[in-house]
Amino acid sequence: MVDFDYEVIVGDDCSTDQTGALCDQFAQEHPNCHVYHHQKNLGHVKNWEFVLNHCKGEYVAMVEGDDYWTDPHKLQCQVDFLDAHPDFSLSFHRVQLVYEGESHGEEHLFEHLTEREYSAKEIYETWSVLTSSVVFRNCLGTITFPKEVFYSDIYLFLMLMKRGRAWCHDKCAVAYRRHQGNQSASQAFEPAEKLFRQYRVMEKAFPEMKELTLQNEQHYLRLLAYNYLHEPKAVKYMLLYMVKHPGKLFSLKYWRRLFLNIF
């Protein structure tokens, strides 16, 4: 329920089910919907980039495939706020968690949110902004994610906050579905490796956040070096960790783990 015109942009990244056909059907019924079918799989980050750079409106709202909006006044509220506060670039709100399967245990994930302004450091330090809750000022075709970026949401939010401030609304207007397939819930070696690489890039992209970035970078390096004993690629991270922490040269426990990992 809004008092402004809007468009719907869909990026179909080579889906193998009926998603593409359903989107085409929706677009036929709604002329303001534009569906882009990629000829080759871009991956979620580059698909994000493609869709965001095809948005032509003054503001952009995002909703990911697992999530759904629950408040018909959500967009109007956030657009009204940004209209009235030109120094703010980002608007978000609280989140309702919906669990599927046995993925419980994070009921308090977003309970820290209150209605107020949030700094870039707060958003970076604590998971505060769910992608499907945001409305932000359109960057008009200027969004580019480095190839090392795995989780594009935090990179985007920090990029937006270089252009303005961020406000959290005291309303719960999106359902965030949690299940074992969520990328953000995975603790496997590959996501940890990608996050380590991402933080190395973010150290240069956001120098004002260097201290936090280095903490995150070291966290994932330590995770890669210690938590994947039977992963062959972990050896190079154990060696890198040792280079960054020369004291490990004298740790028999560390050398024992390295030896076991190799053999």
Side-chain angles (χ1 to χ4, degrees), residues 235-249:
V235 173
K236 67 177 182 181
Y237 293 107
M238 296 184 79
L239 292 170
L240 179 59
Y241 189 78
M242 186 173 61
V243 169
K244 289 181 174 292
H245 302 82
K248 295 297 179 183
L249 285 168

Side-chain angles (χ1 to χ4, degrees), residues 189 193 223-240 254 258 261:
F189 179 86
E193 183 179 36
L223 190 69
L224 291 165
Y226 275 99
N227 285 37
Y228 299 97
L229 194 61
H230 302 296
E231 173 60 52
K233 290 196 296 182
V235 173
K236 67 177 182 181
Y237 293 107
M238 296 184 79
L239 292 170
L240 179 59
Y254 189 84
L258 182 60
N261 203 341

Side-chain angles (χ1 to χ4, degrees), residues 9-22:
I9 307 295
V10 180
D12 176 26
D13 197 22
C14 300
S15 57
T16 56
D17 54 16
Q18 297 301 309
T19 299
L22 290 171

